[in-house]
């Protein structure tokens, strides 16, 4: 281990240890964590003047990205490798059974595009899958079992990214993930904790015993092998989309989903297509921001909140007068989300108008610096639903200046709880991101309008917000999981990045978070995050403050400076990810 490695280890150790220590009850787990952290860092020595960087939620996924860059791959190949590795080592968050968005910047021609690999509702969806004969929502219909899963997009996203933008063959970029699935990997404390949390869900799911050790949540250090997943990844590597969306894998997926009450057909899988979409692009106080397009609501929410805030003098996140304004902007942006936003291929949405300065001025005209607006005063929404608790983000820049910000998910922890036999593919429960009815909040307590109702082949509205920020300092690539709280996380980080001349990535990924989403009408804060004077100052303006039981998010960030092109990276101390640069 060289000096740089030691320094990196110490830094990660310092930022992560306090959190680990708070979470851990047993001393032997501390030792296990220490060993895992040091092992991960030993694999990832830090370059003195590195021009490439990778940040992901797991050291083995970051290592896969680094390997691919070292073998001559570009940021797009590395993103394939990292995303595929995350599918293996973080199966509760993302995977081949899910979907997501890849935001790309290609250095050679400046092309910027979002690959929309979001899942789609099967063609055979019907109201009776989700409502009983009295018209009441069926509990769990969108969160577990066959009716909760939408047709996966991630496999098609990976093949598209590799074939259209990568330099290396898909098989080469998938190789690290195949090895991890085949040979197994030692589960970390995070895996053990999440498996424990979802133990009974995994015990009662279909094929989900693969994530347990003899029917129980494994201890850290247990070697998890996923032979069937390795085989599916190999098929994808050899046959491209046909290896997943046709043939034996497709038939197995359809058969199991139908047995568990869903309506999938092999035609649904064959028909799946990624869509290249123009990202949302806007400027804020001179910086250019490029971010997610619909069917994510995240980019529009970011444009709207920043547009509203631009009217006020800039202030520090963490100072009550500024935070009050941020909350008011979030309240208004989430109100629009609930009313208007949905899959743009199904619903006409005036995006240009919604993100315009004119609209921001109108929408923020009634923000009162001294008093909170009641959400109900903004007007009702016509119908609704929301997001959930696991997902992953990766950020990459390479030496050529290519960039990727990708947020990928299977929605809630361990998705629908279905792993069709012989595939190793854990299916998503993304149907929960549709709006069943305005008065029925989803797992993220989001409510939404008719625009986002379930329809055949439609993509559910998302909050995932992979983003690039360019200013005179350089370019920041960022994103995070956290359902509806993704938007506020990215917003707070951008506000602080732009306010400071110094770029302190560790501070940006670690800073305490707050959130507002129109409904419920309250400001949510992370535990032990804001002092009593701050709370009193917000309460004095009429806000209800609610301290959440846990911190949220797992932000992954890379930065490349304008002068010199030096790359750096940081992983959220709330997670166990590792940044390499
Ligand atoms: O697309 C969305 O917005 C959600 N399905 C994302 C879920 C998520 O971030 C869960 N993470 N904690």
């Amino acid at each position: 281990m060289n000096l740089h490695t030691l320094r990196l280890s110490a830094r990660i150790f310092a930022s992560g240890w306090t959190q680990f220590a708070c979470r851990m009850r047993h001393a032997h787990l501390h030792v296990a964590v220490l060993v895992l952290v040091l092992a991960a860092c030993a694999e990832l020595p830090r370059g003195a003047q590195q021009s490439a960087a990778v940040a992901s939620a797991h050291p083995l996924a970051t290592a896969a990205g680094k390997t691919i860059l070292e073998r001559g791959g570009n940021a797009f190949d590395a993103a394939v490798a990292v995303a595929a590795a995350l599918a293996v080592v973080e199966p509760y968050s993302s995977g081949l059974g899910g979907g997501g968005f890849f935001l790309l910047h290609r250095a050679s021609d400046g092309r910027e595009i979002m690959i929309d690999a979001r899942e789609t509702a099967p063609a055979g969806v019907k109201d009776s899958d989700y409502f009983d004969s009295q018209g009441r929502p069926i509990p769990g219909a969108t969160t577990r079992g066959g009716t909760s899963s939408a047709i996966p997009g991630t496999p098609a996203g990976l093949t598209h990214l590799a074939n259209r933008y990568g330099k290396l063959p898909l098989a080469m970029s998938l190789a690290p993930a195949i090895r991890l699935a085949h040979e197994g990997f030692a589960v970390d404390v995070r895996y053990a904790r999440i498996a424990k949390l979802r133990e009974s869900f995994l015990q009662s799911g279909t094929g989900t015993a693969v994530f347990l050790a003899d029917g129980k949540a494994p201890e850290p250090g247990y070697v998890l092998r996923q032979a069937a997943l390795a085989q599916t990844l190999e098929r994808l590597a050899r046959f491209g989309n046909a290896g997943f969306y046709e043939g034996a894998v497709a038939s197995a997926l359809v058969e199991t989903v139908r047995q568990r009450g869903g309506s999938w057909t092999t035609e649904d899988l064959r028909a799946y297509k990624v869509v290249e979409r123009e990202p949302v692009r806007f400027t804020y106080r001179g910086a250019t921001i490029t971010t997610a397009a619909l069917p994510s609501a995240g980019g529009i929410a970011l444009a709207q909140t920043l547009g509203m805030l631009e009217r006020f003098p800039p202030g520090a996140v963490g100072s009550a007068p500024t935070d009050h304004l941020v909350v008011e902007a979030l309240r208004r942006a989430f109100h629009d989300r609930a009313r208007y936003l949905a899959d743009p291929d199904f619903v006409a949405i005036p995006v240009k108008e919604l993100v315009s300065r004119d609209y921001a001025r109108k929408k923020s005209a009634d923000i009162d610096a001294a008093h909170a607006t009641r959400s109900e005063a903004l007007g009702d929404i016509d119908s609704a639903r929301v997001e959930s608790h696991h997902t992953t983000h990766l950020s990459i820049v390479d030496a050529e200046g290519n960039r990727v910000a990708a947020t990928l998910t299977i929605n809630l922890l361990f998705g629908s709880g279905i792993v069709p036999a012989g595939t190793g593919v854990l299916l998503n429960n993304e149907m929960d991101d549709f709006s069943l009815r305005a008065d029925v909040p989803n797992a993220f307590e989001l409510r939404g309008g008719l625009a986002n109702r379930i329809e055949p082949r439609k993509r559910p509205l998302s909050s995932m917000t992979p983003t690039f920020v360019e200013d005179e300092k350089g370019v920041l690539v960022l994103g995070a999981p956290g359902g509806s709280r993704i938007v506020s996380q990215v917003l707070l980080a951008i506000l602080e990045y732009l306010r400071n001349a110094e770029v302190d990535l560790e501070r940006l990924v670690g800073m305490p978070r707050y959130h507002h989403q129109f409904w419920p009408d309250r400001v949510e804060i992370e535990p032990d995050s804001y002092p009593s004077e701050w709370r009193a100052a917000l309460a004095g303006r009429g806000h209800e403050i609610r301290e959440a039981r846990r911190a949220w998010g797992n932000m992954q960030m890379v930065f490349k400076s304008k002068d010199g092109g030096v790359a750096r990276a940081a992983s959220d101390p709330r997670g166990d990810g590792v940044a390499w640069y």
Side-chain angles (χ1 to χ4, degrees):
M1 203 184 273
N2 63 24
L3 190 61
H4 287 311
T5 311
L6 271 174
R7 238 187 250 137
L8 179 63
S9 306
R11 193 159 47 89
I12 290 171
F13 182 68
S15 63
W17 187 248
T18 328
Q19 300 229 358
F20 286 135
C22 305
R23 290 183 199 150
M24 301 296 100
R25 293 214 191 89
H26 309 294
H28 68 277
L29 293 187
H30 290 229
V31 177
V33 170
L34 177 59
V35 171
L36 287 173
V37 168
L38 292 180
C41 296
E43 272 190 82
L44 302 171
R46 172 185 170 179
Q49 283 282 291
Q50 202 76 39
S51 55
V54 180
S56 90
H58 198 288
L60 292 170
T62 300
K66 175 179 178 266
T67 302
I68 290 302
L69 288 171
E70 285 169 352
R71 292 191 182 150
N74 60 18
F76 312 121
D77 299 304
V80 172
V82 175
L86 287 168
V88 178
V89 298
E90 256 203 342
Y92 44 81
S93 276
S94 69
L96 297 186
F101 303 113
F102 298 84
L103 184 68
L104 314 184
H105 170 92
R106 185 165 63 191
S108 59
D109 58 359
R111 178 172 168 76
E112 287 184 328
I113 208 76
M114 183 184 90
I115 300 177
D116 167 1
R118 183 73 163 163
E119 301 92 326
T120 56
V125 276
K126 43 191 188 321
D127 273 2
S128 59
D129 293 338
Y130 305 98
F131 294 98
D132 66 17
S133 53
Q134 316 288 309
R136 289 174 305 222
I138 301 171
T142 58
T143 52
R144 57 195 302 164
T147 51
S148 71
S149 298
I151 307 299
T154 293
L158 296 179
T159 60
H160 187 82
L161 187 54
N163 298 339
R164 188 68 64 88
Y165 297 96
K167 291 207 287 201
L168 302 181
L170 175 66
M172 202 162 151
S173 303
L174 290 180
I178 295 172
R179 200 174 45 251
L180 286 166
H182 186 70
E183 292 172 7
F185 69 99
V187 304
D188 56 12
V189 172
R190 186 178 177 82
Y191 181 102
R193 182 164 39 85
I194 291 173
K196 187 78 202 156
L197 196 72
R198 301 292 277 162
E199 195 173 60
S200 63
F201 180 75
L202 293 173
Q203 286 163 344
S204 62
T206 300
T208 39
V210 63
F211 302 119
L212 300 170
D214 292 329
K216 293 254 165 22
E219 294 288 321
Y222 169 79
V223 176
L224 176 65
R225 291 192 180 82
Q226 300 172 79
L229 179 59
Q231 224 171 60
T232 301
L233 283 162
E234 267 162 14
R235 280 175 191 267
L236 191 66
R238 280 182 62 195
F239 306 116
N241 282 345
F244 183 91
Y245 292 94
E246 293 172 35
V249 172
S251 306
L253 298 181
V254 168
E255 192 185 326
T256 309
V257 167
R258 293 183 78 89
Q259 275 162 9
R260 293 289 318 272
S263 64
W264 287 24
T265 62
T266 47
E267 185 45 33
D268 285 328
L269 284 158
R270 207 193 319 273
Y272 184 84
K273 294 248 171 328
V274 297
V275 184
E276 288 208 345
R277 301 196 191 267
E278 271 304 305
V280 167
R281 198 177 285 104
F282 60 97
T283 60
Y284 169 73
R285 298 192 205 276
T288 301
I289 298 179
T290 308
T291 182
L294 288 168
S296 177
I300 292 175
L302 202 56
Q304 289 192 325
T305 45
L306 289 170
M308 289 185 242
L309 291 169
E310 205 166 17
R311 288 184 43 225
F312 298 93
V317 172
S319 79
T322 296
D323 298 329
H324 163 73
L325 296 174
V326 172
V327 165
E328 290 304 311
L330 281 166
R331 179 197 309 284
R332 286 161 175 78
F334 273 94
H335 182 230
D336 273 7
R337 178 200 207 274
R339 286 195 299 177
Y340 305 128
L341 304 189
D343 182 343
D345 295 341
F346 281 71
V347 181
I349 300 160
V351 176
K352 281 220 159 61
E353 187 194 330
L354 289 175
V355 302
S356 70
R357 282 209 159 75
D358 240 21
Y359 184 77
R361 200 167 36 247
K362 278 186 222 141
K363 188 90 188 165
S364 58
D366 61 350
I367 292 182
D368 176 341
H371 299 101
T373 306
R374 306 291 337 146
S375 282
E376 61 191 25
L378 293 180
D380 212 353
I381 52 179
D382 53 3
S383 149
R385 226 90 181 359
V386 179
E387 317 27 48
S388 61
H389 268 19
H390 264 282
T391 297
T392 200
H393 180 85
L394 59 100
S395 293
I396 302 179
V397 290
D398 68 15
E400 295 163 34
N402 298 306
R403 306 171 209 147
V404 181
T407 314
L408 304 162
T409 190
I410 52 171
N411 200 23
L412 304 182
L413 286 172
F414 288 107
S416 64
I418 301 180
V419 181
T423 68
V425 175
L426 175 58
L427 296 176
N428 68 82
N429 56 356
E430 222 70 60
M431 293 298 286
D432 196 54
D433 279 351
F434 280 114
S435 303
L436 283 187
R437 224 172 50 194
D439 59 337
V440 183
N442 77 351
F444 286 102
E445 294 189 278
L446 282 171
R447 297 169 58 196
L450 283 170
N452 188 34
R453 70 171 182 271
I454 297 176
E455 294 180 75
R457 298 265 157 94
K458 192 177 179 183
R459 284 154 145 94
L461 188 61
S462 172
S463 300
M464 296 188 283
T465 316
T467 299
F468 306 143
V469 182
E470 288 175 80
D471 69 348
E472 71 287 349
K473 302 193 286 288
V475 55
L476 186 72
V477 177
L478 76 161
S484 51
R485 292 153 170 165
I486 292 172
V487 175
S488 44
Q489 289 178 63
V490 171
L491 173 66
L492 298 184
I494 292 176
L495 287 170
E496 281 303 281
Y497 166 78
L498 292 175
R499 201 178 58 83
N500 292 292
E502 284 295 303
V503 182
D504 183 347
L505 299 186
E506 269 76 20
R507 190 178 93 77
L508 294 175
V509 295
M511 62 197 245
R513 294 169 180 152
Y514 58 84
H515 175 71
H516 195 291
Q517 59 178 47
F518 169 70
W519 188 91
D521 188 354
R522 63 180 185 217
V523 181
E524 234 185 339
I525 58 173
E526 291 186 311
D528 307 319
S529 56
Y530 286 88
S532 51
E533 309 80 68
W534 183 94
R535 296 177 197 212
L538 282 219
R541 287 171 168 81
H543 295 284
E544 183 190 327
I545 313 279
R546 176 178 176 267
E547 185 170 300
R549 273 182 296 142
R550 305 201 177 127
W552 60 79
N554 194 0
M555 184 170 275
Q556 309 297 330
M557 194 179 263
V558 302
F559 169 75
K560 194 155 186 165
S561 70
K562 204 157 224 173
D563 53 342
V566 178
R568 287 189 276 141
S571 278
D572 198 321
R574 295 162 186 81
D576 303 339
V578 165
W580 170 76
Y581 58 96

